[in-house]
Amino acid sequence: MREKYGPWAVIAGGSEGVGASFAHQLADAGLNLVLIARKAGPLEATASDVRRLGVEVRTLALDLLDPASVPAIVSATSDVEVGLLIFNAGANSYGHDFIDGSLDGHAGVIALNITAQLALTHHFGGLMKSRGRGGIILVGSLAGYLGSARQSVYGAVKAFSRVFAEGLWLELRDHGVDVLELVLGVTRTPAMERAGLNFDIPGLDVGEPDDIAREGLAHLSDGPVWIAGGNADAASKRNGMDRTRLVLGAHEAMTRLLPPR
């Protein structure tokens, strides 16, 4: 892990939930970390826990909706070699019906899930390509497979992220850089708990953050898309696509479209 994706990893949205699980598991593998999140308290708590595993940890308490955040991240990592980027910061930050909500609120969902994601991927992906190694995990959602009320913009940006990951995987696969859109279903995170989600609904498939992070890291080289937590059938039902293609993360189907090397 460290040889290909180290010595440093950047985790946007690394203070709690799946992001914190990524931090602990990467630290166990010996990677140093740059953790980014809005709330300084949970961010420093996770950093303190991870430092006990013997790795170096830098923290950046930043709001990725602030245009100054990306230059701050670039500056704070200019002296280290980042071999892994995990973008786990894409939340539904504005759950409103599109017409009844404000355009500024919807624009914030786009800025977080698309604009900030593209900026960080462009910067760190370029460095990885020049070195000939590295990995990028973009954390997606089943919401990107089917539109739903009060999530019209959020579902759309998650669909964008998945298609973006597919194209980026094609562009970087011959340069030693792995790209994965890690699609999550319902996951037991503090954010979902604060939103009041009932995890005890009969038949609800609930993923645990440690399991999801472990699955994502295990399948980083199996891009461009991996549907975590046993949710491939749910994605297939939502999207009306063949389950086999979804389980393979579109890998085989997209490879067939490429000219011979």
Side-chain angles (χ1 to χ4, degrees), residues 125-147:
L127 296 174
M128 294 174 197
K129 179 180 178 180
S130 66
R131 290 193 296 265
R133 66 178 185 88
I136 298 168
I137 297 179
L138 307 178
V139 177
S141 170
L142 282 178
Y145 284 96
L146 182 69

Side-chain angles (χ1 to χ4, degrees), residues 21-64:
S21 292
F22 273 126
H24 281 86
Q25 292 176 30
L26 290 171
D28 277 336
L31 274 73
N32 301 311
L33 302 170
V34 178
L35 303 181
I36 305 162
R38 284 191 306 115
K39 298 178 180 178
L43 181 63
E44 293 301 333
T46 296
S48 178
D49 288 343
V50 171
R51 287 189 183 103
R52 296 190 183 102
L53 299 174
V55 299
E56 186 175 348
V57 182
R58 298 180 182 181
T59 59
L60 296 171
L62 298 170
D63 185 349
L64 291 175

Side-chain angles (χ1 to χ4, degrees), residues 65 94 102-112 115 153:
L65 290 177
Y94 191 72
S102 74
L103 279 178
D104 285 344
H106 295 309
V109 178
I110 295 171
L112 175 61
T115 307
V153 176

Side-chain angles (χ1 to χ4, degrees), residues 138-230:
L138 307 178
V139 177
S141 170
L142 282 178
Y145 284 96
L146 182 69
S148 56
R150 301 179 66 81
Q151 296 190 78
S152 55
V153 176
Y154 178 69
V157 298
K158 289 305 182 183
F160 171 92
S161 181
R162 187 179 73 253
V163 176
F164 168 61
E166 290 176 351
L168 190 64
W169 173 81
L170 287 169
E171 294 174 359
L172 294 180
R173 71 187 196 120
D174 291 333
H175 298 279
V177 181
D178 293 327
V179 177
L180 182 73
E181 173 85 357
L182 180 64
V183 178
L184 274 57
V186 177
T187 307
R188 198 186 309 274
T189 65
M192 291 295 97
E193 292 173 352
R194 288 192 294 268
L197 184 65
N198 180 8
F199 294 107
D200 298 321
I201 298 174
L204 186 64
D205 185 6
V206 180
E208 301 297 334
D210 286 348
D211 295 336
I212 298 300
R214 189 174 300 109
E215 189 174 352
L217 293 175
H219 292 284
L220 177 50
S221 61
D222 298 325
V225 178
W226 187 266
I227 301 167

